[in-house]
Amino acid sequence: MSVFTYHIVKLSCFSAGKMMFFPMRAKHIDGLIHAETMSIMTLGSPIYSFSRIFNRKVVVFAQWENEKAIHHFLDTNPLGRKLIKGWYVKMKFIRQWGSISGFKIPKLEKVVENQNDAVVAVTIARMKYLEVPRFIRWGRPVEKLVRDHSGTTMSLASIRYPNTISTFSIWKTQKEMNDMVYGNSTMPNSKRHMNAMKERNRKNFHYEFTTLRFKPIAEYGVWNNKSNFIPIKNEA
C-alpha cells in the first residue's frame, strides 16, 4: 500500500532554486510514485508579497510505494538528506474529491469512524491562466479563514510556477474541518469556503483540482522551532 509524505524545509537560496528548477522525479528515485515540489506562501498574504514569488522555504508532497522507499530516499539521496533536516509527516490516504494527474490515488476510500480524529487536508490546483485574478479574489478570504481557524495546528499554501497552487492543513478533528468546509464553524465569516465552492461550481478556476484527506501516521523534525503538530488523541 502506498504512503504519502509532506515535507517542509528551509534551504539556501541556491539549494531552493535548484530544487524548483530540478524537482524530484519518479524516474530518478526508486519507490517514488510522484512528487510535487513547491515554494511556500503565507496563507492570506498580500498578492504582491515576495513570498508569493520565491521563497527559500520549500515543500515536497510525495507518494511512495511503501515506507521502506521513503527511508531509503531520506538516508541515501542528496535531496533526501536535505529534506530530512526539516519537518515531515507520513500519511495514509482516506479519500479524494476531484482529480489530479501524476499521483496514483487509491480507488478504495477509507471510512473515518471517529469524527474527533485528527486529519490532514491537501489541495492541489492547476490554474487556468485567465482565471487567476478571479481565483485570487475568492481564494484569499478562504486562505485567511483556514490560517486563523482554531481547529488547525498548521496551515500553509504553496506555489509552483506557472500555475500550480496547493494548500496544506492539519486539523485537530475531522468535525472541525467539515464544519469549516460547509460553513458551520463558529469562526467569523464562516461561509467563505462554502461561497468560494459555489463560485467554482458556477465557473471553474482550474483545469485540474483535487482535495485529498489523509490520516497522519507520524511526524518527524521541527518547523519554526515547533514540533508535535499532530494532536495526540486522549484514550482516557
Side-chain angles (χ1 to χ4, degrees):
M1 180 180 293
S2 66
V3 181
F4 292 78
T5 56
Y6 195 95
H7 305 258
I8 313 174
V9 64
K10 185 175 182 179
L11 303 169
S12 67
C13 286
F14 175 79
S15 293
K18 187 176 180 181
M19 281 198 73
M20 297 305 296
F21 280 106
F22 304 100
M24 292 167 51
R25 301 292 187 194
K27 64 181 179 180
H28 299 143
I29 300 172
D30 290 340
L32 176 64
I33 296 173
H34 184 69
E36 295 285 340
T37 303
M38 296 166 282
S39 177
I40 282 183
M41 299 187 299
T42 301
L43 284 170
S45 62
I47 300 305
Y48 299 107
S49 63
F50 188 70
S51 72
R52 287 188 182 263
I53 301 171
F54 177 74
N55 202 310
R56 290 167 53 197
K57 300 171 183 176
V58 172
V59 304
V60 174
F61 173 50
Q63 183 183 13
W64 306 86
E65 292 177 359
N66 50 53
E67 292 194 43
K68 182 179 178 180
I70 299 169
H71 295 294
H72 179 74
F73 167 75
L74 294 173
D75 291 340
T76 64
N77 188 287
L79 283 177
R81 288 195 289 266
K82 289 180 181 179
L83 289 180
I84 204 170
K85 294 178 181 178
W87 176 92
Y88 76 99
V89 58
K90 283 194 291 191
M91 307 174 291
K92 287 186 177 180
F93 172 77
I94 296 176
R95 67 177 303 180
Q96 177 188 37
W97 290 265
S99 62
I100 199 79
S101 57
F103 295 99
K104 295 180 180 178
I105 304 300
K107 296 185 183 296
L108 184 63
E109 298 183 345
K110 306 284 186 180
V111 175
V112 179
E113 296 179 352
N114 191 338
Q115 291 296 305
N116 291 318
D117 284 348
V119 67
V120 175
V122 178
T123 68
I124 306 177
R126 317 280 193 208
M127 300 296 302
K128 296 177 180 177
Y129 296 110
L130 295 180
E131 294 298 328
V132 170
R134 189 170 137 263
F135 173 77
I136 290 172
R137 175 191 168 195
W138 288 92
R140 283 191 70 227
V142 179
E143 289 182 6
K144 292 178 181 179
L145 174 63
V146 175
R147 179 195 66 192
D148 300 333
H149 203 289
S150 60
T152 61
T153 62
M154 179 191 288
S155 57
L156 56 90
S158 55
I159 186 168
R160 179 173 182 81
Y161 285 98
N163 64 334
T164 298
I165 296 177
S166 179
T167 65
F168 171 85
S169 53
I170 301 175
W171 292 83
K172 297 174 184 177
T173 67
Q174 168 115 334
K175 183 181 184 304
E176 287 175 288
M177 185 186 67
N178 286 338
D179 285 346
M180 183 281 296
V181 168
Y182 297 108
N184 297 324
S185 72
T186 58
M187 299 295 294
N189 302 304
S190 62
K191 304 294 184 183
R192 291 177 180 181
H193 186 277
M194 186 176 65
N195 291 338
M197 287 195 299
K198 289 179 180 178
E199 179 65 13
R200 184 191 69 195
N201 292 337
R202 184 186 72 82
K203 185 180 180 182
N204 211 337
F205 308 111
H206 331 98
Y207 65 87
E208 282 189 334
F209 176 82
T210 190
T211 296
L212 300 162
R213 289 187 188 176
F214 300 95
K215 177 181 179 180
I217 303 171
E219 66 174 292
Y220 306 82
V222 175
W223 180 245
N224 285 340
N225 299 315
K226 296 180 182 179
S227 58
N228 300 320
F229 290 97
I230 299 174
I232 298 174
K233 185 177 178 181
N234 187 356
E235 300 291 349

